[in-house]
């Protein structure tokens, strides 16, 4: 496991509490959590693409960003 995949796994673990706020929070809290989870998801896709050394995997994060 290279450092890119390790950091992607660490970001995924750190995004779990935010996902819990997204599911159980009030409307404004859920909206802010949604924005944060979507940003983390884009970073996850970038890190996984770099970790597997595939240049074609960068198209989706660029489109989502």
């Amino acid at each position: 496991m290279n450092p890119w995949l390790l950091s992607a796994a660490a970001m995924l673990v750190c995004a779990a509490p935010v996902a819990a706020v997204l599911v159980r929070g009030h409307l404004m809290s859920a909206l802010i959590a949604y924005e944060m989870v979507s940003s983390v998801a884009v970073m996850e896709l970038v890190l996984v693409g770099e970790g597997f050394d595939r240049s074609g995997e960068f198209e989706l994060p660029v489109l989502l960003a």
Side-chain angles (χ1 to χ4, degrees), residues 32-56:
I32 293 168
Y34 174 74
E35 292 293 327
M36 185 171 175
V37 166
S38 64
S39 298
V40 170
V42 169
M43 291 299 293
E44 286 285 330
L45 291 171
V46 168
L47 289 170
V48 168
E50 183 65 32
F52 288 130
D53 197 26
R54 297 181 135 185
S55 61

Side-chain angles (χ1 to χ4, degrees), residues 3 11-12 17 27 40 57 62:
M11 282 186 69
L12 189 62
L27 183 61
V40 170
E57 299 291 326
V62 169

Side-chain angles (χ1 to χ4, degrees), residues 3-24:
W4 298 103
L5 295 176
L6 187 63
S7 62
M11 282 186 69
L12 189 62
V13 169
C14 292
V18 179
V21 171
L22 177 63
V23 173
R24 295 183 165 232

